[in-house]
Amino acid sequence: MCIKNGKLHIGWAYTRSMKQPKTSVVRGVDTGITDVFHTSDGKAIGSMKPVLDFYHNTVEPSFAGLSDLRNKKRSVSHYLRHHKDLPEDVRRSLIQKMDRLDYMMQTMDAPYRKKRRYYGMLDREIHKSVTGYMDGLKRDTFTVIERLDIKEFKKSRKVNGMFSCFARGKTQEALMKALNWKGYDFVEVAPEFTSQVCPVCGNLDSANRDGKRFKCICCGHEDDADHVGSINIRERAVNKDLMDICEKHRYGNGLQNALKDYYMEQNEIFKKQHPQGMVS
């Protein structure tokens, strides 16, 4: 509160209040790269592939050139330190070479310019994809997403640049903020094996998935791998047995083994009920 020009100015903080809608539709959402979002009802939204291709094909080689200059300077410096008896003219020439390399590194702005462009591309694709998901969202939809390790994707950015882990994490963080701001219900579920489990027969095997292609080696079910992931993500929020397993092992070890046992049991039941549907 302050008085300015004879007027009383009062400031206050507030939070936005939204009426919580009644949820009746549960939608699983797989956050990926080829499809930024793929929903359990079969909708694909956005793609990170062009953005990451730009990083790997343009940004990384540009920084590789910068790294090459650093290595050359380091090599010359090492040579000077270990050859004290060099003729003066040779020593002077090597020092001048180090100065030239140092100047080239200081004036080399292309790698950082390309990296800034990459950041912009990433932010635009995230915004477009999140907007695309929110625009088609009904008021009674309950969104289910994987529980990603925020620390890990931020670590990925620091250690090895903008790779898929960081891009997925940042995208999902933006989606959660949008859902929360607009008052939509959502929940995070355990991510283990969601892309490897057949939603038809319950067979859990990494061989079921090959990139974007999913083909169960047990029953032969075929689908888009991200769609399969979103179906299994949804199942973690509607299947009571899975919910109990995930909750029981939420803060301890043993979740992966418990899930493997559950899916093995479901697969055995399916094979007994559908012996003719097995892949020979």
Side-chain angles (χ1 to χ4, degrees):
M1 183 174 64
C2 65
I3 299 176
K4 187 177 181 180
N5 297 327
K7 296 181 179 180
L8 180 64
H9 295 261
I10 301 176
W12 68 92
Y14 66 93
T15 56
R16 189 179 186 190
S17 178
M18 298 291 294
K19 183 179 180 180
Q20 197 76 358
K22 181 180 179 181
T23 57
S24 58
V25 177
V26 181
R27 175 190 284 177
V29 177
D30 182 79
T31 305
I33 297 301
T34 304
D35 300 323
V36 177
F37 299 123
H38 205 117
T39 67
S40 55
D41 51 4
K43 186 177 182 180
I45 302 171
S47 176
M48 281 294 176
K49 192 174 184 305
V51 182
L52 293 179
D53 284 347
F54 177 80
Y55 182 82
H56 292 304
N57 298 331
T58 304
V59 179
E60 282 187 332
S62 183
F63 274 95
L66 182 60
S67 178
D68 185 54
L69 292 177
R70 290 196 184 103
N71 290 335
K72 287 180 179 179
K73 179 183 176 182
R74 191 178 298 113
S75 177
V76 173
S77 177
H78 181 272
Y79 186 84
L80 283 170
R81 286 197 308 271
H82 291 82
H83 295 80
K84 304 293 185 181
D85 56 347
L86 288 173
E88 186 60 30
D89 59 334
V90 175
R91 178 174 293 276
R92 189 181 305 111
S93 176
L94 291 174
I95 292 174
Q96 289 175 350
K97 183 176 182 179
M98 287 178 58
D99 290 341
R100 287 195 300 273
L101 290 169
D102 193 53
Y103 177 78
M104 291 172 66
M105 287 188 289
Q106 291 178 7
T107 57
M108 193 175 184
D109 65 340
Y112 299 99
R113 187 170 62 250
K114 291 174 181 177
K115 192 173 183 179
R116 287 194 296 271
R117 181 183 172 190
Y118 170 75
Y119 279 110
M121 291 173 65
L122 181 65
D123 288 341
R124 284 192 295 274
E125 185 58 41
I126 290 174
H127 176 74
K128 183 177 73 172
S129 299
V130 171
T131 300
Y133 181 80
M134 298 300 296
D135 285 347
L137 196 62
K138 296 181 179 179
R139 296 302 301 173
D140 62 346
T141 300
F142 183 72
T143 300
V144 187
I145 55 179
E146 289 181 309
R147 184 169 56 248
L148 299 182
D149 190 333
I150 303 299
K151 292 181 180 179
E152 280 302 310
F153 77 71
K154 288 185 176 179
K155 177 182 178 182
S156 173
R157 177 180 185 271
K158 179 179 179 182
V159 175
N160 54 20
M162 301 293 222
F163 290 101
S164 59
C165 180
F166 174 74
R168 288 179 65 233
K170 190 173 183 182
T171 302
Q172 188 153 302
E173 191 174 43
L175 176 61
M176 289 190 291
K177 286 181 179 179
L179 290 167
N180 191 54
W181 177 252
K182 292 184 178 293
Y184 287 96
D185 277 335
F186 71 92
V187 67
E188 296 176 89
V189 298
E192 283 81 0
F193 310 124
T194 53
S195 66
Q196 300 176 18
V197 177
C198 177
V200 174
C201 71
N203 175 51
L204 167 57
D205 198 308
S206 59
N208 287 339
R209 178 170 186 172
D210 181 15
K212 278 283 285 179
R213 180 172 179 265
F214 184 97
K215 183 174 182 179
C216 179
I217 63 173
C218 179
C219 71
H221 174 67
E222 294 186 59
D223 197 354
D224 181 280
D226 293 330
H227 184 220
V228 168
S230 65
I231 292 173
N232 288 323
I233 289 169
R234 179 186 183 278
E235 194 70 7
R236 297 279 167 95
V238 298
N239 184 306
K240 186 178 184 306
D241 292 334
L242 282 172
M243 291 169 64
D244 290 343
I245 290 172
C246 293
E247 184 60 31
K248 179 179 179 180
H249 299 280
R250 183 179 178 86
Y251 302 106
N253 299 321
L255 176 59
Q256 291 191 3
N257 288 334
L259 288 172
K260 287 179 180 178
D261 291 342
Y262 170 80
Y263 288 121
M264 184 181 296
E265 181 181 344
Q266 296 303 305
N267 184 239
E268 290 299 322
I269 294 173
F270 180 89
K271 287 191 289 187
K272 290 178 181 179
Q273 295 176 344
H274 307 83
Q276 74 286 355
M278 298 301 101
V279 176
S280 57

